Every structure is written in structure tokens, then in C-alpha cells.
């Protein structure tokens, strides 16, 4: 079913919206969740909660792109779960590895007392990504939004892992430089 | 948020990850199609390929950077180079690790960046080419044995090929040494940052079983010699990855030259430590690199140390490398 029709079902408060969403996007959403929480049960919980969030958010929201709309919800839910669990035990997941990689280029030496306006930071990152080649941009997003393992990205792109790793390293360096020029303290 | 707020808050990796979660949807949509298209078996990325084909010959040549080497290392390297030049030999095209670039879009002003996107294809080409060359070298075992005995009589240098460059470790199966899955797995280990030595302490011996980039081997005393280095002078930093071969006493090194080219150094005994020096030795406007493996605990370096000369052809931008006899 087309996304537009699925959204219409949400707006009509038709419960088939959830089943259609599940049919079309459950695998995609489960992958996003699993990449962050690295746990099947938690992943399933994230995906189910995603349907619920989407159900509650629409009809107010009418997403143009249902896939990315749902993906964002799942990612945020998964990160919330990850944070809760990592407070008990920091487990190595693609999400934590992604943070570690970004920490390499972004100084974490100072304690943040005031919360940085993430929207401004998001906009800066969006602008940065728009200036990159399509391939690099997609690799970056696959890694840091979808938290895809480097091995998977390499398979998808047909590159060797070292090549993907090299591209990511340069993109992180470029992002750091871009943010610095934009006035962020990095 | 004002600029003051920007400057007063130091952002870290987690903040970046959070912010990435809210980037523009059209960007995510592109990546979504990228992922989905690949999963469905489509040839993703082909749309941009034509614009990605560039000439690395157009790349801005960066300023040459030299790294400091111990006097002993310099002497050895000079010996190797002098030996090579004295023999009037050129780099052997047949035995080189060649990264084949398609050079069609000379108008691109972002050649260096676009070349990065060819990393995968180039590295595979390089690996395959080198595997073939190594296989050929290995098949010439009789000749190599003669060489190691100091007998050069069966070597024909008149055609410009560097016979000594064909040398690989004769005790190993060279065809298994390059571009393997094991290297990729080893590379992934570097993410964990699992160093076996304590932070803050440095030692020449700290590499041990380390798998990872040498510029990240912070306990290793020569780590800085590989950090932010542009060995080939193309304006893009280069990195060296060390793979300690599991179940053996060997190590391999992979030079990632920043522009997508990868040079695989044949395996050597693991106690050696690498050094790289670069310079325009043949005055062709391109920097040559000398990659050496030093064994400082050995008394006869002529028998133990390894030196490779890595060159980039100014015409086609390919890298070639060959071992130099000491």
C-alpha cells in the first residue's frame, strides 16, 4: 500500500493503518532499533511503540515521507531504551560505537552545563551533508542515523570495509571543521 | 541560539548523534532509497558514477612532508635507494600493485573528494592486481632462491624491470596475503580501541598484537610519525593499518593513501616496526615513499630489515611498489 494511503488510514483512525505499517515497514524499523539496542526483545518493543507513537501523532502530523517519519520515531525510542540500559551496563552496540567514533572528532573534554540547541546543530549537520557527494552523504547517514554496521555498508556499496572506514573518518573530520567554522565549540 | 551559546557549549559525540536524528527528511529519504535500493539488488550509486570519474593527475599536489627517521633507518633507506638507482632500474610494472583509475573528468574541481568514492573499487583492483603479481613472484621460487644466495646471474635487468622488486617472503604463500576478509575483520577491531598497553606509557615495543591504525596506537612511541601524515604529497592525509596475523608470527601493513588507493605491504615478522620516508628521488614531481620495516634488536639489518619503494606514476597516477634488497 502506498504511504499516502496508509497515512489516510491513520487520519481516519482505521486500525488497518498499523497492520499496513507493520507489513511494509516492520523489518526496516526492526533493523534500526536493533542496531541501537542490540536486543531482539527491545527492538520489538521499540517497533511496537513506534506504531503507537505514530497512531497518537496522527492526524495532527501528516508526514510526507512515512518511512523516514517512522524511522526517526524508532530511532529515538531505541536511543531512549539504550540510555536506560547503558546506565546499568554499557554494552557495545553500533550506537555506542557510532558515538565513540564521533567523539574522536568532537572534543568531549568539557562538561556541558547548558543543553545545546539540537535543532540548530541538526540544521548545521543537514547543511553540511548537503555539501557532500551523494555517496558520502548516504554512507554517513547509514552509519550515524541508521547505525548500520560498517560491514553492512561495505557490502551495500561494494566497497571494502577499510574504504568505508576511511570515508567515514574523513567525513567526521570534515564535519568537525564545518561545525567549528559555524561557530560551534568542538 | 546565539553564537555565545554555541561557543559556550562543547558538543560531543552523543549530541551529534542526537542531532543527526533530526536532520532534514529529504536527506534521510535519499539514504533510505540508498539502503533499500541496494537491498533489492539495484545498482545504487551508478547515477553518480559518471561524475565521480576523475583524474587523480589533476589533484592538487600538496606540500611535501618529511618525517624524521633515526639515523640508522636513513642510512639503510639510502643504501636501498642507491642500490636501486645504481642498477639503473625502473619500477616493475608487472609486479606492482596498481590502482587503475579512470581519468575522464578532468574538469572536476573536487577530484580529490570524488576519488574517495572510488575507494572500494580501487582497493579491490589493487588487491587483485597485487595478488596476481604476488602469485607470479611466488611461482618463480627457483629464481628467488638464487637471489637470496646472492646469485643475480639469472636476472635480466635490461628491460627496465626491477628483479629484486619481485621479492616477497619466500616462506609464505603470497596469494593469501592481500585484501582478505580477515583484514576487514581486523580493521573492525580498531573501533573498540582495545590497546593492550596502558595509556600514557609509550614504548617502541608496544605494537605487540595490536590490530589497527598506527596513528591510533597511542602507546607506541612512533605513533606520531603516522598521525596526520601526507606521505605521497597529494594533499590528503594517509594512514597505515597494521594487521597482526592471528596464529602466526607475521604482520602486514596497509597504506591507505587517502585518494582511494591502497598499497598492501607483504607480511613480515611481527617484531619489526614500520617507518615511512618520502621524497622526490627521481625528480618527476611526484613524491616517492620508502616504507621500511626495522628490527632494532637484530645485529645484521641487511638480512633482517625490509624496505619497499612506493612510487606514483605521474602520467596515470598509479601506485607501484617494490621491495629493495639491502
Amino acid at each position: 500500500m502506498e504511504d499516502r494511503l496508509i497515512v489516510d488510514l491513520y487520519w481516519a483512525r482505521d486500525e488497518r493503518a498499523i497492520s499496513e505499517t507493520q507489513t511494509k515497514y516492520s523489518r526496516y524499523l526492526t533493523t534500526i532499533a536493533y542496531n541501537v539496542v542490540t536486543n531482539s526483545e527491545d527492538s520489538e518493543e521499540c517497533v511496537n511503540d513506534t506504531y503507537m507513537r505514530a497512531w497518537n501523532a496522527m492526524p495532527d502530523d501528516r508526514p510526507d515521507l512515512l518511512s523516514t517519519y517512522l524511522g526517526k520515531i524508532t530511532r529515538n525510542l531505541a536511543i531512549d531504551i539504550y540510555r536506560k540500559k547503558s546506565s546499568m551496563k554499557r554494552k557495545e552496540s553500533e550506537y555506542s560505537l557510532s558515538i565513540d567514533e564521533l567523539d574522536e572528532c568532537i572534543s568531549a573534554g568539557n562538561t556541558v552545563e547548558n543543553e545545546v540547541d539540537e535543532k540548530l546543530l541538526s540544521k548545521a549537520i543537514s547543511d553540511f551533508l548537503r555539501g557532500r557527494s551523494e555517496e558520502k552523504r548516504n554512507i554517513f547517514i547509514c552509519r550515524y542515523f541508521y547505525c548500520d554496521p560498517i560491514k553492512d555498508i561495505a557490502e551495500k556499496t561494494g566497497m571494502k570495509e577499510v574504504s568505508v572506514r576511511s570515508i567515514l573518518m574523513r567525513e567526521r573530520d570534515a564535519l568537525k571543521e564545518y561545525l567549528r567554522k559555524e561557530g560551534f565549540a568542538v | 541560539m546565539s553564537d555565545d551559546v554555541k561557543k559556550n557549549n562543547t558538543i560531543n559525540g552523543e549530541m551529534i548523534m542526537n542531532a543527526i536524528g533530526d536532520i532534514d527528511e529529504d536527506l534521510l529519504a535519499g539514504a533510505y532509497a540508498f539502503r533499500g535500493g541496494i537491498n533489492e539488488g539495484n545498482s545504487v550509486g551508478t547515477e553518480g558514477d559518471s561524475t565521480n570519474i576523475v583524474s587523480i593527475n589533476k589533484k592538487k599536489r600538496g606540500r611535501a612532508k618529511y618525517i624524521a627517521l633515526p639515523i640508522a633507518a636513513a642510512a639503510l633507506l639510502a643504501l636501498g635507494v642507491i642500490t636501486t638507482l645504481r642498477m639503473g632500474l625502473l619500477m616493475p610494472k608487472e609486479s606492482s600493485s596498481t590502482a587503475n583509475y579512470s581519468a575522464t573528468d578532468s574538469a572536476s574541481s573536487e577530484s580529490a573528494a570524488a576519488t574517495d568514492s572510488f575507494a572500494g573499487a580501487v582497493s579491490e583492483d589493487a588487491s587483485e592486481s597485487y595478488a596476481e603479481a604476488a602469485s607470479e613472484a611466488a611461482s618463480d621460487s627457483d629464481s628467488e632462491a638464487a637471489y637470496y644466495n646472492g646469485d643475480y646471474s639469472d636476472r635480466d635487468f635490461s628491460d627496465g624491470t626491477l628483479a629484486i622488486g619481485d621479492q616477497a617472503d619466500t616462506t609464505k604463500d603470497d596469494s593469501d596475503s592481500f585484501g582478505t576478509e580477515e583484514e576487514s575483520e581486523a580493521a573492525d577491531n580498531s573501533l573498540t580501541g582495545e590497546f593492550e598497553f596502558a595509556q600514557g606509557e609509550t614504548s617502541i615495543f608496544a605494537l605487540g598484537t595490536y590490530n589497527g591504525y598506527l596513528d591510533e596506537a597511542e602507546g607506541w612511541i612512533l605513533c606520531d610519525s603516522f598521525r596526520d601524515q601526507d606521505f605521497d604529497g597529494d594533499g590528503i592525509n594517509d594512514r597505515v593499518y597494521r594487521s597482526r596475523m592471528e596464529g602466526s608470527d607475521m604482520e602486514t601493513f596497509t597504506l591507505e593513501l587517502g585518494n582511494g588507493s591502497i598499497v598492501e605491504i607483504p607480511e613480515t615478522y611481527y617484531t619489526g616496526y614500520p617507518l615511512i620516508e618520502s621524497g622526490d628521488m627521481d625528480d618527476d614531481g611526484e613524491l616517492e615513499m620508502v616504507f621500511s620495516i626495522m628490527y632494532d634488536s637484530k645485529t645484521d639489518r641487511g638480512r633482517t630489515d625490509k624496505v619497499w619503494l612506493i612510487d606514483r606514476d605521474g602520467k596515470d597516477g598509479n601506485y607501484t611498489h617494490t621491495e629493495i634488497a639491502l
Side-chain angles (χ1 to χ4, degrees):
Chain A
M1 181 180 284
E2 289 183 16
D3 286 358
R4 178 177 52 80
L5 298 176
I6 296 175
V7 172
D8 286 344
L9 289 175
Y10 276 108
W11 275 65
R13 312 311 291 163
D14 187 332
E15 291 184 1
R16 282 183 299 160
I18 292 180
S19 60
E20 291 294 340
T21 303
Q22 188 172 19
T23 301
K24 189 169 184 178
Y25 290 117
S26 66
R27 185 179 172 191
Y28 157 70
L29 298 175
T30 302
T31 301
I32 294 176
Y34 189 85
N35 283 345
V36 176
V37 298
T38 65
N39 179 291
S40 297
E41 286 184 13
D42 291 339
S43 303
E44 191 177 347
E45 182 184 337
C46 285
V47 174
N48 288 333
D49 286 350
T50 300
Y51 303 145
M52 189 58 62
R53 285 278 183 95
W55 179 262
N56 291 333
M58 289 184 271
D60 287 346
D61 291 347
R62 181 175 278 281
D64 294 327
L65 297 165
L66 187 59
S67 58
T68 57
Y69 177 81
L70 296 171
K72 281 186 175 183
I73 294 174
T74 302
R75 185 179 186 271
N76 288 337
L77 289 169
I79 290 174
D80 285 344
I81 289 180
Y82 172 82
R83 282 175 177 156
K84 288 176 187 171
K85 296 219 165 185
S86 64
S87 64
M88 294 180 287
K89 180 182 179 181
R90 181 173 172 82
K91 183 176 180 180
E92 198 166 85
S93 74
E94 291 300 330
Y95 177 68
S96 66
L97 292 176
S98 299
I99 290 176
D100 289 344
E101 288 173 6
L102 289 167
D103 268 334
E104 288 174 10
C105 75
I106 304 295
S107 167
N110 298 332
T111 302
V112 180
E113 297 179 358
N114 302 314
E115 188 175 346
V116 174
D117 186 339
E118 286 187 4
K119 287 197 179 300
L120 192 63
L121 188 55
S122 294
K123 183 182 181 307
I125 294 173
S126 294
D127 292 343
F128 164 78
L129 290 173
R130 287 186 197 288
R132 315 306 291 176
S133 72
E134 183 179 358
E135 186 174 49
K136 289 178 182 175
R137 179 168 64 238
N138 288 335
I139 288 174
F140 187 93
I141 294 174
C142 282
R143 179 60 176 162
Y144 298 118
F145 180 85
Y146 292 108
C147 299
D148 287 335
I150 287 175
K151 183 180 179 184
D152 288 358
I153 298 173
E155 286 177 3
K156 288 169 185 172
T157 56
M159 295 180 177
K160 291 183 74 174
E161 288 183 44
V162 290
S163 303
V164 173
R165 197 181 307 281
S166 178
I167 288 173
L168 287 171
M169 183 194 72
R170 295 179 196 289
E171 291 305 291
R172 292 195 302 269
D173 289 345
L175 173 61
K176 178 183 179 181
E177 188 58 33
Y178 180 85
L179 293 177
R180 181 178 288 140
K181 285 180 180 174
E182 288 295 306
F184 288 94
V186 295
Chain B
M1 188 174 67
S2 69
D3 287 346
D4 287 342
V5 177
K6 282 184 183 177
K7 291 171 184 172
N8 290 334
N9 291 284
T10 302
I11 55 179
N12 59 26
E14 188 158 5
M15 291 176 189
I16 297 283
M17 285 297 284
N18 290 340
I20 288 171
D22 201 27
I23 60 175
D24 294 346
E25 292 210 352
D26 61 316
L27 297 173
L28 295 179
Y32 174 77
F34 175 78
R35 298 169 85 237
I38 293 169
N39 289 334
E40 291 165 11
N42 295 340
S43 179
V44 174
T46 54
E47 185 180 343
D49 281 355
S50 60
T51 58
N52 286 337
I53 297 174
V54 295
S55 165
I56 68 169
N57 294 327
K58 292 289 182 183
K59 282 192 303 184
K60 182 181 177 182
R61 187 175 298 145
R63 194 175 61 179
K65 291 181 179 178
Y66 294 85
I67 61 172
L69 286 175
I71 293 176
L76 276 172
L77 299 180
L79 175 63
V81 173
I82 291 169
T83 303
T84 306
L85 297 177
R86 183 181 297 170
M87 296 170 78
L89 302 172
L90 301 173
M91 302 298 292
K93 299 298 182 187
E94 296 83 1
S95 63
S96 62
S97 172
T98 304
N100 296 315
Y101 291 87
S102 298
T104 60
D105 188 1
S106 59
S108 171
S109 62
E110 294 183 344
S111 58
T115 305
D116 273 355
S117 63
F118 273 86
V122 168
S123 62
E124 285 183 4
D125 287 347
S127 298
E128 289 171 6
S129 300
Y130 195 84
E132 289 179 12
S135 179
E136 290 174 9
S139 67
D140 194 11
S141 57
D142 291 340
S143 182
E144 286 179 4
Y147 161 73
Y148 276 113
N149 289 327
D151 180 5
Y152 293 84
S153 60
D154 63 337
R155 294 281 171 167
D156 178 9
F157 301 129
S158 59
D159 62 353
T161 58
L162 181 59
I164 55 175
D166 291 340
Q167 299 307 314
D169 190 329
T170 55
T171 63
K172 299 296 170 189
D173 180 3
D174 296 324
S175 61
D176 291 334
S177 304
F178 314 103
T180 62
E181 289 293 328
E182 287 73 10
E183 280 186 0
S184 297
E185 290 175 9
D188 202 38
N189 292 339
S190 67
L191 283 175
T192 65
E194 291 178 354
F195 284 33
E196 61 179 21
F197 37 83
Q199 287 191 344
E201 298 177 6
T202 59
S203 166
I204 190 68
F205 303 111
L207 283 182
T209 58
Y210 175 66
N211 281 291
Y213 289 103
L214 295 179
D215 55 285
E216 293 176 347
E218 293 179 355
W220 184 46
I221 200 167
L222 297 177
C223 175
D224 285 345
S225 299
F226 290 87
R227 188 170 289 156
D228 299 327
Q229 296 294 333
D230 178 18
F231 297 118
D232 57 355
D234 64 356
I236 305 173
N237 283 351
D238 309 320
R239 302 186 80 188
V240 180
Y241 190 92
R242 189 222 194 203
S243 297
R244 175 74 162 81
M245 303 183 71
E246 199 167 324
S248 78
D249 293 332
M250 309 302 284
E251 63 183 353
T252 63
F253 295 93
T254 304
L255 275 69
E256 297 177 25
L257 293 162
N259 50 31
S261 290
I262 290 177
V263 176
E264 309 270 6
I265 300 297
E267 60 190 58
T268 54
Y269 192 64
Y270 81 103
T271 57
Y273 56 88
L275 293 166
I276 299 180
E277 187 179 48
S278 55
D280 186 3
M281 289 180 280
D282 56 3
D283 206 22
D284 65 348
E286 299 282 354
L287 292 185
E288 286 76 46
M289 292 171 281
V290 177
F291 186 103
S292 60
I293 305 290
M294 315 294 291
Y295 296 88
D296 65 349
S297 60
K298 303 295 183 182
T299 54
D300 185 358
R301 291 185 167 173
R303 292 182 63 85
T304 59
D305 292 0
K306 302 276 187 180
V307 177
W308 288 267
L309 183 61
I310 303 168
D311 186 27
R312 193 170 88 188
D313 190 321
K315 293 178 180 176
D316 57 16
N318 296 337
Y319 288 87
T320 59
H321 74 281
T322 189
E323 186 176 347
I324 299 172
L326 296 177

